[in-house]
Amino acid sequence: MSQPLLEIEDLKKVYTSHKGVLKRTRTDVTAVDGIGLSIKTGETLGVVGESGCGKSTLGRLITRLTEPTSGAVRFDGQSLFELNQREMKAVRRDMQMVFQDPYASLNPRQQVQSILEEPLIVHKIGSKSERKDKVAEIMKIAGFDPDLGNRYPHQFSGGQRQRIGIARALMTNPKLIIADEPVSALDVSIQAQILNLLKELQGTFSLTYLFISHDLGVVRHISDRVAVMYLGRLAELSDSESMYRNPLHPYTEALLSSVPVAEPAGRQEPIVIKGDMPNPANPPAGCAFHTRCPKVMDICKKVKPDLFPAGEGRFAACHLYA
Ligand code: ADP
Ligand code: MG
């Protein structure tokens, strides 16, 4: 681990929709609200938070599947939002995504071998026979018998389909993989296999991961550091071990208290987070979490907390650490 491979600076995305008969009612949702992060080469950064907090939008902004409202993303020395389409296409070779539902992202009429070959054709990599060899190599590494290359996605189980999704992401030898809820649709036993595969591949191919999940239990074992999001902002950024041992932000603490633990004896009473997540189109003033926070203070209702340093390499957007 050394230089940052990815640097995100004050990134923002506002979705605007118009409703009503005359489309005059305008609603703005700030899905990502000023996020700053960096990820070092070889690192796994986990991104967690409840559904709707902006995790997928963050991933899509980095790859420019969604265009940002403002901010900057630097990847491997390039400022991505300044690139034209052709330059961005070249970057996508080094930056691949894995999605929650591989079935939705795999063409049902394509055989696995042509699904896997496609990224090589798109990026004009290799001759026909080199491409064929690469497909066989990656299938083997992803845990497939290359003889199954002529099958179609529906002939595989959910876990195997996610192996195909991962294999496809690996075809171009990327540096960064953004995995958005890659195991959330799978049974727990299969989740562990896919997480192990991702860990193994990271070693084999020196990959850097941005690993998105709403499930803190899933993120824990794979992540070096974890970013906790709430309503489009970072609540906490910590190395994984410290965060799970000693969460800083009251939101992280509450999230963690509801994750099942291996030793039931050490289990504490879950902290119930009061109420529902606020409407993202109309977030609370001050700290967005103050309406649900067990440790709320007066200042929290008025002043939006910065991301304060709180221990070595740790940060919390909470006035307790001001
Ligand atoms: P997560 O992945 O954490 O569940 P998302 O990034 O999907 O969160 O969504 C964050 C917020 O942005 C939500 O309030 C969601 O409704 C809104 N949102 C996401 N995509 C769009 C879109 N294409 N148009 C309008 N609003 C969107
Ligand atoms: Mg999502």
Side-chain angles (χ1 to χ4, degrees):
M1 285 183 209
S2 45
Q3 288 301 304
L5 177 66
L6 185 76
E7 286 178 277
I8 301 168
E9 211 174 277
D10 203 13
L11 187 58
K12 215 173 211 185
K13 176 65 186 183
V14 182
Y15 290 110
T16 301
S17 55
H18 295 271
K19 293 209 185 84
V21 191
L22 298 170
K23 302 259 178 222
R24 273 190 189 154
T25 318
R26 175 185 160 141
T27 319
D28 284 343
V29 170
T30 306
V32 169
D33 189 8
I35 288 206
L37 275 178
S38 68
I39 308 181
K40 284 172 284 191
T41 300
E43 186 181 32
T44 299
L45 179 77
V47 175
V48 291
E50 289 165 281
S51 171
C53 72
K55 305 179 298 296
S56 294
T57 303
L58 176 65
R60 295 174 60 87
L61 289 170
I62 295 166
T63 49
R64 278 183 68 185
L65 288 174
T66 296
E67 287 299 323
T69 303
S70 61
V73 172
R74 266 182 301 280
F75 173 71
D76 208 15
Q78 282 183 293
S79 205
L80 298 190
F81 300 161
E82 289 162 21
L83 303 183
N84 63 30
Q85 270 189 18
R86 186 179 46 80
E87 292 164 329
M88 196 57 214
K89 183 184 162 190
V91 169
R92 289 216 176 87
R93 195 178 150 159
D94 290 334
M95 185 193 261
Q96 293 283 337
M97 281 198 84
V98 172
F99 296 97
Q100 169 170 359
D101 181 2
Y103 204 52
S105 62
L106 301 174
N107 182 344
R109 278 184 283 278
Q110 242 180 340
Q111 294 176 338
V112 169
Q113 59 205 16
S114 71
I115 289 175
L116 295 182
E117 189 185 3
E118 195 165 82
L120 300 180
I121 295 173
V122 168
H123 291 286
K124 302 191 168 65
I125 301 169
S127 66
K128 192 157 175 55
S129 78
E130 283 165 341
R131 291 199 299 264
K132 196 166 170 239
D133 290 347
K134 181 78 179 171
V135 168
E137 177 204 333
I138 295 291
M139 277 192 83
K140 222 182 274 162
I141 289 171
F144 274 105
D145 181 347
D147 291 343
L148 304 182
N150 58 2
R151 298 211 180 166
Y152 293 89
H154 74 265
Q155 293 174 292
F156 293 97
S157 67
Q160 285 175 314
R161 280 201 288 265
Q162 192 54 291
R163 285 176 192 269
I164 301 171
I166 292 166
R168 182 177 55 180
L170 288 175
M171 290 303 296
T172 58
N173 290 332
K175 294 176 179 160
L176 175 71
I177 290 192
I178 297 179
D180 189 354
E181 308 267 9
V183 301
S184 302
L186 306 174
D187 292 344
V188 174
S189 60
I190 310 292
Q191 286 190 357
Q193 292 173 16
I194 297 293
L195 291 172
N196 286 338
L197 173 67
L198 286 168
K199 263 236 136 356
E200 260 174 57
L201 295 172
Q202 183 164 40
T204 311
F205 295 103
S206 315
L207 294 166
T208 303
Y209 287 141
L210 181 78
F211 188 99
I212 296 171
S213 177
H214 67 281
D215 184 340
L216 274 101
V218 161
V219 166
R220 174 173 196 163
H221 296 290
I222 197 154
S223 304
D224 300 302
R225 285 188 304 146
V226 176
V228 181
M229 281 181 73
Y230 190 76
L231 280 182
R233 296 173 70 86
L234 291 183
E236 175 166 351
L237 180 63
S238 285
D239 66 278
S240 178
E241 224 184 287
S242 309
M243 197 193 84
Y244 284 88
R245 194 167 359 98
N246 169 33
L248 298 173
H249 200 288
Y251 179 57
T252 315
E253 204 179 345
L255 280 180
L256 273 176
S257 75
S258 57
V259 174
V261 289
E263 328 78 53
R267 166 135 223 156
Q268 305 195 331
E269 279 302 302
I271 301 164
V272 178
I273 309 179
K274 289 182 290 184
D276 295 327
M277 180 129 86
N279 177 0
N282 186 20
C287 172
F289 186 59
H290 89 255
T291 52
R292 303 167 81 188
C293 184
K295 297 180 178 168
V296 61
M297 305 176 288
D298 259 352
I299 188 175
C300 309
K301 300 172 188 170
K302 296 172 204 134
V303 181
K304 213 179 258 196
D306 290 336
L307 195 59
F308 298 110
E312 201 178 333
R314 305 188 67 184
F315 299 88
C318 173
H319 290 296
L320 288 171
Y321 302 92

